[in-house]
C-alpha cells in the first residue's frame, strides 16, 4: 500500500468543477479545499506505481487545473 | 455523500433505535422477565443467534454485491476473528458485559425509560478524560462546556418525582459508564484496524462483540448468581421472539454506531447520540409511564432536553482542520523532525513525503486561536524546520 498527496492549483472559478470530477475517481481517501498556496489537497491510497501513474494521469486530464504537485508518502504516523 | 451528513444521519438513526430498545427493555423486564440479570444474559445469547443469521443474510451476494454493503461498504462476509483483533475484542466485550449488567440492574431502581436512558450519556465525560490522555488531545473550553451542558441536561431529564436514588446513581457513575467508555474506545480501535487492505467492517465487529460479551456475562454470572444461568435458558425458550426482536433493533443501531465511530472521536459520536433523549420522551409518553400529572417535572425534563441538544450542537459546530506543509532544513534528520511534529498536541497525522515539501501534517483543533497558540508556537520551536505553511481546510470530503 502506498499513499500519495496530490496538491492542486486551480484556475479561478474552477474549484467546484474540479472537486466534482475528483469525487468520481477511485482510490481517493480525502479531498479538501484549503487556503494558502494550493487550492485543493487530495490524499489517495494505491497498491502499485502503475496505479499512481493512472491516477495522476486522470487527475491531470481534469479541466480547470492549472498545476498539480504529487507527493509520495515515504512514512506516515497517524492516530 | 458528504461525510458530515452521512455522519449525522448514522448517529441519529442509531440514537433513535437505541431509544426504542431501552423502552422495550423496560417493558420486557416489567411484564415478562422479572430478574434483570437473567434478562441481560438472555439478551446477549439471543443477540448472538440473531446477529449470526442476520450477518449470514447480509453476506448473500446479489449481482456481485452483498446486501451488507448497504449498511457498511467495507463489509464482505461473516468471517473468523483475526489475531490482531482479539485483544481489542476482549476489552470491549468485557466493558460491554459490565456495563450491560449494571444497566439491567438499574431496572430494579427505575422504571421509566426517560429516566434510565440519559444515564448512558454521562459516558461522554469519561470519554473526554480518556481521550485527553490517550489521543494527546486536551479538551478545549468549548468541549468542556458542551460536555457539562450535556451531562447536566441528562441529569435533569433523569429526575423523577423528587427522589434521588443513591445506589442507582453509584452503579451508574462507577460501573456502567466507565465500562461503557472502555467499550466505546475499543470499538473505535477495532473500527480503525485494517483487515485485508480494507477498513474493518462494523457488522463483523458487532457480531464478535456479542459473542465476547455473552461469554463474559456468563462467566460473571457463574460467580455472582449461578442460578441465573439455568433461568436464562427457560426465559429464552418462552420469550425468544420479543428478546430477539429487541436485539435485532439494537444490533442495527450498533452497526450504525460503530460505523460512525470510525468517522470521529468517540466523545463527539457519543454527544450526538445523546439526542436519543429527544426520541425517548414521546416513546415513554406512549407507554404512559411518564408522570404527565406533574407539570413541574415535565418542564424540568424539557429544559434538560434543550440543554442536551444545545450541548450537542456546540460540539459539532466547532472544529477547524488544517494542513501544515513543512520544508525541513538540510543537515537535520527528517525522521526526528517528523517525530517532533507528531508530538505536538492536535496533530492528527504526519506523512514524510517526496516532492516539493518534506512533511505533510494534518491538524484538528477546536478554534484557530488554539491552533496558533499550541501548534504554530511549537512548530517554530522545532530546530529542523526551515519553513512551513498553514493551510486551513475550507471544506472536506472523505471516502467512508
Amino acid at each position: 500500500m502506498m499513499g500519495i498527496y496530490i496538491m492542486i492549483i486551480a484556475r479561478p472559478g474552477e474549484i467546484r468543477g474540479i472537486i466534482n470530477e475528483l469525487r468520481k475517481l477511485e482510490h481517493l481517501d480525502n479531498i479538501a479545499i484549503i487556503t494558502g498556496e494550493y487550492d485543493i489537497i487530495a490524499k489517495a491510497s494505491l497498491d502499485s506505481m502503475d496505479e499512481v501513474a493512472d491516477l495522476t494521469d486522470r487527475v491531470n486530464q481534469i479541466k480547470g487545473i492549472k498545476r498539480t504537485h504529487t507527493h509520495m508518502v515515504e512514512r506516515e504516523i497517524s492516530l | 455523500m458528504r461525510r458530515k451528513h452521512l455522519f449525522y444521519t448514522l448517529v441519529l438513526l442509531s440514537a433513535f433505535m437505541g431509544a426504542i430498545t431501552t423502552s422495550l427493555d423496560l417493558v420486557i423486564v416489567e411484564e415478562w422477565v422479572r430478574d434483570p440479570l437473567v434478562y441481560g444474559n438472555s439478551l446477549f445469547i439471543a443477540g448472538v443467534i440473531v446477529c449470526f443469521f442476520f450477518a449470514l443474510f447480509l453476506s448473500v451476494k446479489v449481482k456481485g454485491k452483498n446486501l451488507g454493503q448497504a449498511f457498511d461498504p467495507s463489509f464482505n462476509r461473516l468471517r473468523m476473528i483475526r489475531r490482531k483483533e482479539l485483544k481489542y475484542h476482549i476489552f470491549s466485550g468485557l466493558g460491554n458485559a459490565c456495563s450491560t449488567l449494571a444497566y439491567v440492574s438499574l431496572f430494579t431502581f427505575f422504571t421509566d425509560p426517560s429516566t434510565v436512558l440519559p444515564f448512558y450519556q454521562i459516558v461522554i465525560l469519561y470519554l473526554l478524560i480518556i481521550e485527553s490522555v490517550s489521543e494527546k488531545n486536551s479538551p478545549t473550553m468549548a468541549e468542556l462546556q458542551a460536555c457539562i451542558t450535556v451531562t447536566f441536561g441528562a441529569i435533569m431529564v433523569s429526575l423523577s418525582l423528587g427522589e434521588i436514588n443513591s445506589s442507582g446513581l453509584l452503579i451508574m457513575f462507577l460501573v456502567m459508564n466507565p465500562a461503557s467508555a472502555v467499550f466505546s474506545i475499543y470499538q473505535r480501535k477495532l473500527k480503525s484496524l485494517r483487515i485485508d487492505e480494507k477498513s474493518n467492517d462494523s457488522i463483523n465487529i458487532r457480531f464478535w462483540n456479542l459473542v465476547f460479551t455473552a461469554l463474559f456475562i456468563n462467566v460473571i454470572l457463574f460467580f455472582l448468581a449461578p442460578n441465573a444461568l439455568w433461568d436464562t435458558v427457560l426465559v429464552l425458550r418462552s420469550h425468544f421472539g420479543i428478546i430477539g426482536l429487541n436485539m435485532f433493533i439494537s444490533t442495527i443501531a450498533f452497526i450504525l454506531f460503530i460505523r460512525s465511530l470510525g468517522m470521529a472521536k468517540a466523545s463527539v459520536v457519543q454527544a450526538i447520540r445523546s439526542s436519543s433523549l429527544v426520541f425517548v420522551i414521546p416513546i415513554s409518553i406512549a407507554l404512559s409511564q411518564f408522570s404527565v400529572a406533574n407539570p413541574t417535572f415535565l418542564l424540568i425534563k424539557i429544559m434538560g432536553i434543550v440543554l442536551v441538544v444545545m450541548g450537542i450542537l456546540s460540539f459539532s459546530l466547532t472544529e477547524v482542520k488544517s494542513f501544515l506543509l513543512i520544508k525541513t532544513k538540510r543537515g537535520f534528520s527528517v525522521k526526528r523532525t517528523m517525530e517532533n511534529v507528531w508530538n505536538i498536541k492536535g496533530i492528527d497525522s504526519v506523512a514524510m513525503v517526496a516532492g516539493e515539501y518534506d512533511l505533510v501534517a494534518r491538524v484538528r483543533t477546536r478554534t484557530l486561536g488554539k491552533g496558533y497558540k499550541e501548534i504554530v508556537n511549537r512548530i517554530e520551536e522545532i530546530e529542523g524546520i526551515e519553513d512551513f505553511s498553514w493551510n486551513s481546510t475550507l471544506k472536506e470530503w472523505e471516502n467512508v
Side-chain angles (χ1 to χ4, degrees):
Chain A
M1 185 64 80
M2 45 177 81
I4 58 170
Y5 280 97
I6 305 174
M7 290 153 194
I8 298 169
I9 300 179
R11 289 183 202 288
E14 301 277 4
I15 293 183
R16 193 76 239 175
I18 297 172
I19 293 285
N20 286 341
E21 289 302 313
L22 282 175
R23 290 177 69 191
K24 291 179 193 157
L25 297 181
E26 279 179 49
H27 306 298
L28 287 183
D29 300 330
N30 183 298
I31 308 167
I33 302 179
I34 54 174
T35 63
E37 192 178 343
Y38 299 101
D39 298 308
I40 299 168
I41 189 164
K43 186 169 188 233
S45 309
L46 305 116
D47 290 323
S48 64
M49 245 357 201
D50 229 31
E51 284 184 8
V52 175
D54 279 347
L55 182 69
T56 48
D57 186 44
R58 294 188 61 184
V59 170
N60 282 323
Q61 289 172 30
I62 296 175
K63 264 190 12 201
I65 291 184
K66 197 167 171 186
R67 192 181 313 144
T68 63
H69 286 246
T70 304
H71 289 68
M72 299 282 308
V73 174
E74 296 165 333
R75 171 176 296 158
E76 183 162 34
I77 322 177
S78 75
L79 288 175
Chain B
M1 198 176 193
R2 278 277 297 284
R3 176 188 161 92
K4 209 162 75 188
H5 297 162
L6 179 64
F7 175 68
Y8 291 130
T9 316
L10 286 176
V11 178
L12 287 176
L13 258 179
S14 130
F16 177 63
M17 291 177 172
I20 297 182
T21 51
T22 305
S23 311
L24 261 178
D25 283 346
L26 279 154
V27 173
I28 295 174
V29 170
E30 187 104 322
E31 302 286 327
W32 295 299
V33 187
R34 292 270 158 206
D35 185 344
L37 290 182
V38 172
Y39 177 62
N41 193 15
S42 62
L43 260 186
F44 277 88
I45 292 179
V48 170
I49 300 168
V50 169
C51 188
F52 176 73
F53 286 106
F54 183 55
L56 270 189
F57 169 71
L58 290 181
S59 309
V60 174
K61 283 205 184 328
V62 179
K63 292 177 193 159
K65 269 190 148 185
N66 61 52
L67 299 167
Q69 277 164 359
F71 286 98
D72 190 338
S74 45
F75 178 70
N76 188 19
R77 63 188 167 79
L78 192 63
R79 59 169 169 76
M80 276 308 289
I81 187 171
R82 297 293 155 87
R83 205 162 161 187
K84 59 182 170 187
E85 288 180 298
L86 187 65
K87 186 176 77 189
Y88 297 142
H89 267 304
I90 288 175
F91 283 117
S92 72
L94 194 61
N96 198 8
C98 292
S99 81
T100 304
L101 287 178
Y103 164 71
V104 290
S105 60
L106 281 181
F107 292 174
T108 343
F109 308 113
F110 307 101
T111 49
D112 178 353
S114 71
T115 311
V116 176
L117 197 65
F119 290 165
Y120 256 121
Q121 314 312 332
I122 292 160
V123 72
I124 192 173
L125 286 186
Y126 296 85
L127 286 177
L128 256 191
I129 296 167
I130 298 174
E131 265 165 16
S132 51
V133 178
S134 70
E135 299 196 355
K136 61 192 197 68
N137 198 345
S138 61
T140 56
M141 205 54 219
E143 276 174 309
L144 212 62
Q145 189 185 0
C147 270
I148 290 171
T149 317
V150 170
T151 311
F152 283 176
I155 291 176
M156 277 170 81
V157 180
S158 75
L159 286 177
S160 65
L161 278 178
E163 57 197 84
I164 288 182
N165 191 312
S166 53
S167 43
L169 284 179
L170 275 183
I171 290 181
M172 172 191 93
F173 270 112
L174 297 182
V175 186
M176 184 170 124
N177 281 304
S180 136
V182 170
F183 166 65
S184 287
I185 284 171
Y186 283 99
Q187 292 280 292
R188 173 151 193 254
K189 291 218 155 109
L190 279 166
K191 181 66 189 144
S192 50
L193 280 181
R194 288 188 87 80
I195 304 285
D196 300 333
E197 304 282 303
K198 275 169 118 182
S199 58
N200 207 351
D201 69 279
S202 30
I203 298 166
N204 276 304
I205 296 178
R206 175 61 177 169
F207 174 70
W208 287 104
N209 176 252
L210 283 173
V211 172
F212 276 88
T213 308
L215 200 77
F216 281 119
I217 288 186
N218 276 294
V219 170
I220 295 171
L221 282 186
F222 181 75
F223 289 108
L224 280 184
N227 294 340
L229 296 182
W230 176 242
D231 289 345
T232 306
V233 180
L234 295 178
V235 163
L236 276 177
R237 255 176 45 193
S238 50
H239 300 296
F240 185 80
I242 183 83
I243 296 177
L245 174 74
N246 191 7
M247 258 341 238
F248 179 67
I249 299 175
S250 94
T251 292
I252 293 181
F254 263 95
I255 289 171
L256 300 176
F257 176 57
I258 297 169
R259 208 178 145 210
S260 51
L261 276 181
M263 296 163 80
K265 287 200 294 185
S267 59
V268 176
V269 177
Q270 198 65 42
I272 299 165
R273 237 173 92 86
S274 314
S275 55
S276 58
L277 295 182
V278 181
F279 300 116
V280 85
I281 298 289
I283 294 174
S284 86
I285 291 177
L287 292 169
S288 67
Q289 285 173 338
F290 194 82
S291 50
V292 191
N294 195 326
T296 319
F297 277 95
L298 192 60
L299 186 67
I300 291 181
K301 271 179 204 259
I302 291 171
M303 281 158 65
I305 293 171
V306 172
L307 280 186
V308 169
V309 173
M310 289 310 289
I312 294 162
L313 282 181
S314 69
F315 237 122
S316 50
L317 293 180
T318 54
E319 197 172 59
V320 185
K321 282 187 203 163
S322 312
F323 283 93
L324 276 176
L325 306 177
I326 300 167
K327 282 183 186 162
T328 56
K329 271 189 199 145
R330 306 295 140 220
F332 285 90
S333 152
V334 183
K335 203 177 147 193
R336 272 268 281 295
T337 312
M338 182 182 186
E339 275 157 15
N340 288 335
V341 172
W342 173 240
N343 286 331
I344 299 174
K345 275 184 183 168
I347 300 279
D348 222 23
S349 76
V350 198
M352 190 193 283
V353 292
E356 198 187 334
Y357 290 94
D358 301 302
L359 295 173
V360 175
R362 262 160 62 102
V363 179
R364 210 192 270 237
T365 55
R366 281 281 160 204
T367 58
L368 268 180
K370 183 181 175 185
Y372 174 74
K373 220 169 74 191
E374 293 192 357
I375 299 169
V376 175
N377 275 348
R378 297 278 307 276
I379 290 272
E380 281 171 347
E381 282 167 13
I382 299 175
E383 264 193 323
I385 291 181
E386 164 109 42
D387 194 12
F388 72 94
S389 71
W390 177 286
N391 304 267
S392 296
T393 303
L394 297 171
K395 205 167 190 180
E396 194 184 29
W397 290 263
E398 201 139 352
N399 199 2
V400 281

